[in-house]
Amino acid sequence: MRILFYSQHVLGVGHVARSLEIARACIDAGHTVTLVTGGEELPLPLPEGILHEKLPALRMDSTFSHVLPAHYDMPKTPLSEKEQARLDELLAEIMEQRVDRLMKIAGRFRPHIFLTELFPFGRRAFRFELIPVLTALQSGAFGPCKIVCSLRDILVEKADQQKYEERVLKILNRSYSGVLIHSDPNVFSLDETFSRTADIRPPVHYTGYVAPRPRPEKSSSLRKILKKDEKALIVASAGGGSEGYPLLSTTLEASIVLSASLPHTLRILSGPYLDEQDFALLQAKASTAPHIHVERFSTEFPELLAAADLSLSMGGYNTLMNLLAAQTYGLVLPFTQNREQRMRAERLAARGVLEILQPKDLEPDRLSQIMHTTLQATQAGGTDLDLSGARSTANLLQQFMESS
């Protein structure tokens, strides 16, 4: 099959990271995958064999209400009439370029499957380019094609949920052949955050969670290298890094306090989008503590996590799936801007695989004590949840293609 996979990231790398794992499984199954992205530059390594097409980059503003050119610095003061007109003109140019490029990609690739990550359940701001290509694909302009939605476990809340669900159903029931939910229904089902699931006409399938499996031999090697003198190994991470500085900074300071009573090694992964000044501050603080190492990103994150005795992180989908696959216990600080991370973390905490941190825990002495208690308890993070979502997605896409 030829699979055209549209994945637009606007904050962090979680959506694209999950898309890449699915793409890898599809390639392993013998299919050809072209990934279309349209956000800021990706720091993630691409699976071997994948084709990558980049649209002119757009991002969301800080309120998630308007799109902006990816490298546009929004001033703190309101735009003048002239500045606003220039921004509108620039956006119109970029949008026109994106529509034209996406249509040309679809025409050249002639996909059997067009897979949209999140849309139409999200990414409404990008309907200007998705609706035209959906219409063309559905009309058969580029040959027979099934249109399928790739969806994570939990949807964020909306100001007008009824209007939102009606809009999603209109697009979904008109254009889509299926919905693939990357969740274990024993943990979350779609109807918990989308009340009109029964009104979805195309087939809905649960794939299990998408979780890259760490390579055991690499995890063992890292553990031998990093657990010097059998000291505990702690990994702190913040996904893309945009919202991670408070957790990482406090963890670093707590680690310095903890080192007096419990010698350990701390590896901090800031994420590619952490502010440059914040990253420099972390490095400066770590320079006084030889047991702490700070870096932006690691291509061996699943293995590093599997080698660790404890993880501290935000509560994004990919990070928590990495935790489950690594069977490492985690202290998790959910993102507070919406319900998604907290809902997931609470459900998994009830299964005993992690503990939720509260904002009041972001104080060095307090967090140090929590880390000490958790390490002394030698908690394990094993689970019986379905983590085969990438492979199941590849199989289900094949079934969609083969169905009449």
Side-chain angles (χ1 to χ4, degrees), residues 171-191:
I171 299 172
L172 203 62
N173 291 341
R174 180 183 65 218
S175 302
Y176 279 72
S177 298
V179 179
L180 302 181
I181 305 170
H182 307 307
S183 173
D184 185 329
N186 294 313
V187 183
F188 271 109
S189 58
L190 181 59
D191 55 10

Side-chain angles (χ1 to χ4, degrees), residues 68 72 74 78-91:
L68 294 172
Y72 182 84
M74 196 72 169
L79 296 177
S80 67
E81 188 173 326
K82 184 177 180 181
E83 289 171 329
Q84 186 62 58
R86 175 57 189 142
L87 175 58
D88 291 344
E89 182 182 346
L90 179 60
L91 275 173

Side-chain angles (χ1 to χ4, degrees), residues 166-239:
E166 186 62 41
R167 184 173 65 244
V168 170
L169 288 170
K170 183 177 180 181
I171 299 172
L172 203 62
N173 291 341
R174 180 183 65 218
S175 302
Y176 279 72
S177 298
V179 179
L180 302 181
I181 305 170
H182 307 307
S183 173
D184 185 329
N186 294 313
V187 183
F188 271 109
S189 58
L190 181 59
D191 55 10
E192 293 187 61
T193 52
F194 191 85
S195 68
R196 295 186 60 186
T197 302
D199 294 326
I200 297 175
R201 291 177 197 156
V204 175
H205 297 274
Y206 289 88
T207 68
Y209 283 104
V210 175
R213 301 284 183 167
R215 297 163 292 178
E217 68 286 351
K218 188 62 181 179
S219 297
S220 177
S221 174
L222 283 172
R223 191 171 176 85
K224 289 178 182 177
I225 294 170
L226 299 174
K227 278 179 66 69
K228 298 174 182 177
D229 302 322
E230 292 303 311
K231 295 176 183 176
L233 173 60
I234 302 172
V235 173
S237 62

Side-chain angles (χ1 to χ4, degrees), residues 145-368:
C145 180
K146 298 292 179 69
I147 301 167
V148 181
C149 172
S150 168
L151 189 64
R152 73 180 177 200
D153 53 349
I154 303 168
L155 300 172
V156 299
E157 61 273 35
K158 303 295 181 181
D160 189 336
Q161 186 72 16
Q162 183 178 353
K163 183 178 179 180
Y164 158 73
E165 293 187 356
E166 186 62 41
R167 184 173 65 244
V168 170
L169 288 170
K170 183 177 180 181
I171 299 172
L172 203 62
N173 291 341
R174 180 183 65 218
S175 302
Y176 279 72
S177 298
V179 179
L180 302 181
I181 305 170
H182 307 307
S183 173
D184 185 329
N186 294 313
V187 183
F188 271 109
S189 58
L190 181 59
D191 55 10
E192 293 187 61
T193 52
F194 191 85
S195 68
R196 295 186 60 186
T197 302
D199 294 326
I200 297 175
R201 291 177 197 156
V204 175
H205 297 274
Y206 289 88
T207 68
Y209 283 104
V210 175
R213 301 284 183 167
R215 297 163 292 178
E217 68 286 351
K218 188 62 181 179
S219 297
S220 177
S221 174
L222 283 172
R223 191 171 176 85
K224 289 178 182 177
I225 294 170
L226 299 174
K227 278 179 66 69
K228 298 174 182 177
D229 302 322
E230 292 303 311
K231 295 176 183 176
L233 173 60
I234 302 172
V235 173
S237 62
S242 301
E243 305 293 329
Y245 181 75
L247 173 64
L248 298 181
S249 178
T250 307
T251 299
L252 190 155
E253 293 171 10
S255 171
I256 294 173
V257 174
L258 179 62
S259 64
S261 59
L262 200 160
H264 64 278
T265 298
L266 173 64
R267 294 290 292 265
I268 294 178
L269 302 176
S270 72
Y273 300 140
L274 181 70
D275 179 82
E276 287 289 348
Q277 290 186 333
D278 288 341
F279 184 72
L281 281 173
L282 289 177
Q283 287 189 310
K285 290 180 181 179
S287 67
T288 65
H291 71 285
I292 300 175
H293 179 73
V294 178
E295 58 187 309
R296 281 279 185 188
F297 185 78
S298 172
T299 57
E300 298 172 336
F301 181 64
E303 291 76 23
L304 181 60
L305 205 55
D309 299 288
L310 178 65
S311 164
L312 289 94
S313 71
M314 305 292 284
Y317 180 105
N318 290 322
T319 300
L320 296 197
M321 293 312 108
N322 282 324
L323 270 179
L324 295 180
Q327 299 189 19
T328 297
Y329 195 79
L331 299 175
V332 173
L333 180 72
F335 185 46
T336 58
Q337 188 164 329
N338 54 53
R339 67 188 175 188
E340 176 239 331
Q341 290 199 8
R342 176 159 293 277
M343 288 181 70
R344 184 182 301 109
E346 287 177 346
R347 202 64 59 90
L348 293 176
R351 290 175 170 263
V353 297
L354 58 85
E355 177 182 340
I356 296 176
L357 294 172
Q358 306 298 335
K360 66 181 180 181
D361 296 326
L362 293 190
E363 188 279 319
D365 288 336
R366 184 183 182 93
L367 185 57
S368 170

Side-chain angles (χ1 to χ4, degrees), residues 91-160:
L91 275 173
E93 291 174 2
I94 293 175
M95 289 179 174
E96 184 178 353
Q97 291 169 7
R98 284 175 63 113
V99 173
D100 180 67
R101 182 157 176 73
L102 185 56
M103 292 290 281
K104 285 179 177 176
I105 291 168
R108 184 173 66 251
F109 191 63
R110 298 181 66 84
H112 298 116
I113 296 283
F114 183 52
L115 189 61
T116 60
E117 197 280 325
L118 191 56
F119 190 83
F121 292 90
R123 302 291 183 260
R124 180 171 178 250
F126 297 88
R127 65 193 184 281
F128 71 89
E129 62 191 9
L130 283 165
I131 295 300
V133 78
L134 289 177
T135 301
L137 288 167
Q138 196 176 11
S139 72
F142 309 127
C145 180
K146 298 292 179 69
I147 301 167
V148 181
C149 172
S150 168
L151 189 64
R152 73 180 177 200
D153 53 349
I154 303 168
L155 300 172
V156 299
E157 61 273 35
K158 303 295 181 181
D160 189 336

